[in-house]
Amino acid sequence: MRELGIDVEETAVMNAVTPVISIIMPPLAGLVADRIGNFRVLLSIFSALGGVSSLLLLLVPVGRFDMSYPTRIPLALGCGEINLSAISPLQVTLLKDPPCNLRRNMSEPIGIALESCGLVCQAPLTLDLDQVTSVPVYRVDVTHEGQTDDYWYAPSVVLSKLKTPNASDPRFAKVDHPQYYNEAIRVIAYDHVYFPTSTIYNITCLRDKCYFMDGDVSFHASIQYSTNDFFAKKFLFKKVNVSDSETVVSIFSDDPANHSRAKRHSGKNVTNIDDPLTKHDQAIFELFFDNTTLKCEDPLALRDLVVAMPTIGVNLRSCRPLCLASMPRKQMCSDLKREKVFDPKLTFWCYLAVRMFNSIISGTAFAMFEGALIAILREYKADYGLQRIYATIGGMISAPLTGLLIDYVSAGKDYTDFRPAFYLYAVLKVIGGLLVLTIRLDFKAPAPGVVKDVLKVLKNVEIIALIFACFLLGSAWGFLESFLFWLLQDLGASRSLMGLTITVGGLAGLPLLALSGPIIEKVGHANIICLGFVFYAIRLIGYSLLYDPWICLLFEAMEGVTSALTFTAVVTYAAGLSNSSVDSSIQGLIGGIYYGVGRGAGSLIGGFMIKAIGTRPTYQFFAAACAAFAATYYLFHNYFTLRRPTRKMNDITKPNDPEIQMEKVKEENVIPSEQCNGAVIDEKKKEPDNNEFENQAFENEEVEKRNKDNEKRAN
């Protein structure tokens, strides 16, 4: 989103709207799946369609983006006002392109680098400068003491073509391209064109004065060494302040009248002196070294210099020697980037529409996939955590691979190219959809009364508390999902490092997933969820104090607890509180709450808080919220949930010891039904049939059956 020009507030709003779809579609898809029973083909279609639909995001147009200026800014270097003595201050003038907002404080010495020397010529206002800069050849005629010499040059680069985007996406235009000082004709002012002619003239600097001399003299070894030594120094820049009423005399032309208010604007001769476009807006500086103003001598200024362009039939006669230099932009200009705005509203609505469509597809596929997984686990008595290991391994491989591909294709570009991630995701999703056709779901019978069964499950206050905890877990995860990479990018992290964070989190989660069954049996579902909130608080506090992006790997290792182990506890907890007839529906509801509403709320709240109070305070706020709810949920579970006399879970994951104690009543302590008033009786020695196993979460029906059994035993 950031690369499309979607800002923090728009991201927050977008992530708040899409959960509306995410909360509706997964439960609805789960109901349909439970009603169908064997939904293998439908799951395959939605899995493959999710990968194809993700490619629609590549069609969203760019709304705005930050265009970085070249790291070095070009300068014109030459003599100022020309007089009979041909001696003037050495002047430095900023070129019109790229633009530069001057820094207020320029008291530090700055080094400059000599790049090229040639001729600068004033062009008539009626002349098309794009045509001039595109000529294949030009000739320089030098007349001195009645003798004329001509020199031919063939520029190898046309700068205007370098700045034209080579695709519909404007980010594809290369901004920081080479300047080609000696290979290209360039416009350096509104009506002045520079022609490189380094074989004719060069600048030679000795002590506090620079000379424009013939090329063969300037390239003499001893003089060249002195010139190189001169430009190795650092100079103070003093701006030449010119009032609006003064005529600007600069290094561009020997005709001061040509520097009046007349400027080239939209191909017309503009003479309105009140129009700021007609004023000389290119800053002029004089150079100082050891409190001495550097001088410039141009013995060639009185020669007759003509630049002829035979292909367009134009001869430019008002020419004089000039050199181009460069300096670090950050030492001269306060603006290192420029925001280019296109149509942010179109980008926002297009991206939102595609995101909502993808949410429908992915939400449907998620609910069906989780329902199929739980059904298979019930059928084969398998462990949920062990199955998630394979998903984690897949993420560990694909994440760094995607990061490397993104870094590779983004090299040399002024933006991050995410296309490899979309292509890889689409291919893997289509392959996954085909593999779904190989699984068996024929054992899952259709559930005709699925809506009624779901409502009965939701009457349990324990699953309502679990849904609320799932919402807060999703909020913490959604906040990090939306803004963690933004924080790392601001700290200078590469895409490879960002991909590595997922690998580290996956590696840390592997042993926890492998041992999730015994860990949850020993510690308990609710206590694992509390532990997940505690680790979220630690991670968020750590990120708020982070300045070295590589240290984030330490906190990403904790994702093994916050995501792998905690979400396994959530899924198996929800499965334990439901039954096989509503697996897809309940898992769809849990997925919609976690990935939809929770994620959206975290992104929305986090986005607006970052805008209001800053990034690091927002991370600290989320850390405090996670720590507070960990304590609250722990107290609720241990002092309310475990003390409920009718609490019951099925055996998809064994409950912890306190839960077993609450549910187990030894046979020798069984009391008659007329005295127990609905107490839960242990059925360890009673083998339930399949229908009882599927409906054991419905408490009233179970109690009634147990009471009838107790009456028979009592008689």
Side-chain angles (χ1 to χ4, degrees), residues 9 85 128 223 295 345 383 421 428 457 509 544-545 550 696:
E9 288 180 320
S85 65
D128 184 0
I223 297 179
K295 301 297 182 181
K345 289 185 178 180
D383 186 273
L428 294 178
V457 172
S544 72
L545 304 176
W550 284 94
Q696 58 188 339

Side-chain angles (χ1 to χ4, degrees), residues 202-278:
N202 277 286
I203 191 170
T204 299
C205 297
L206 302 171
R207 292 185 291 276
D208 62 347
K209 186 181 296 184
C210 291
Y211 308 84
F212 282 93
M213 305 180 69
D214 291 332
D216 55 350
V217 176
S218 298
F219 284 127
H220 190 274
S222 60
I223 297 179
Q224 184 65 38
Y225 176 81
S226 176
T227 301
N228 293 339
D229 184 62
F230 177 85
F231 281 101
K233 301 174 183 177
K234 292 186 177 182
F235 308 96
L236 287 175
F237 282 67
K238 181 181 179 182
K239 186 177 180 181
V240 178
N241 296 316
V242 182
S243 65
D244 292 341
S245 61
E246 291 181 312
T247 298
V248 179
V249 178
S250 75
I251 63 178
F252 292 139
S253 174
D254 56 356
D255 186 359
N258 290 331
H259 292 279
S260 63
R261 300 298 186 250
K263 288 291 176 182
R264 181 181 304 273
H265 180 58
S266 301
K268 297 180 181 180
N269 190 352
V270 182
T271 57
N272 179 10
I273 62 173
D274 295 326
D275 186 351
L277 288 174
T278 67

Side-chain angles (χ1 to χ4, degrees), residues 21-38:
I21 301 298
S22 299
I23 187 57
I24 295 175
M25 289 309 301
L28 184 61
L31 291 174
V32 173
D34 287 329
R35 182 66 182 84
I36 294 175
N38 187 359

Side-chain angles (χ1 to χ4, degrees), residues 49 144 187 307 340 387 392 471 527 529 594 625 638 670 704:
L49 188 59
H144 182 58
V187 178
V307 174
K340 197 168 185 178
Q387 306 308 310
T392 303
F471 165 75
N527 292 333
I529 294 173
Y594 184 87
N638 286 278
V670 174
E704 184 178 353

Side-chain angles (χ1 to χ4, degrees), residues 5-57:
I6 299 174
D7 58 25
V8 175
E9 288 180 320
E10 291 171 337
T11 300
V13 172
M14 198 172 299
N15 287 334
V17 174
T18 50
V20 176
I21 301 298
S22 299
I23 187 57
I24 295 175
M25 289 309 301
L28 184 61
L31 291 174
V32 173
D34 287 329
R35 182 66 182 84
I36 294 175
N38 187 359
F39 50 87
R40 178 184 62 179
V41 176
L42 195 61
L43 174 58
S44 174
I45 293 173
F46 276 95
S47 295
L49 188 59
V52 176
S53 65
S54 67
L55 298 178
L56 294 176
L57 290 170

Side-chain angles (χ1 to χ4, degrees), residues 115-116 133 135-136 138 154-159 178-186 194-198:
E115 303 288 355
S116 170
T133 57
V135 296
Y138 59 92
S156 58
V157 177
V158 178
L159 293 180
Q179 289 297 312
Y180 298 106
Y181 290 102
N182 288 303
E183 293 86 6
I185 304 171
R186 70 184 65 224
Y194 173 79
F195 298 87
T197 60
S198 56

Side-chain angles (χ1 to χ4, degrees), residues 683-701:
E683 294 184 320
K684 182 176 181 180
K685 294 185 178 182
K686 177 179 178 297
E687 294 295 330
D689 57 24
N690 291 334
N691 290 331
E692 287 182 1
F693 177 79
E694 292 181 356
N695 295 283
Q696 58 188 339
F698 307 137
E699 300 169 356
N700 294 333
E701 295 177 6

Side-chain angles (χ1 to χ4, degrees), residues 118-122 188 192-194 251-252 318-322:
L119 296 178
V120 59
C121 302
Q122 186 174 19
I188 61 175
H192 284 74
V193 184
Y194 173 79
I251 63 178
F252 292 139
S318 182
C319 303
R320 59 183 296 184
L322 186 78

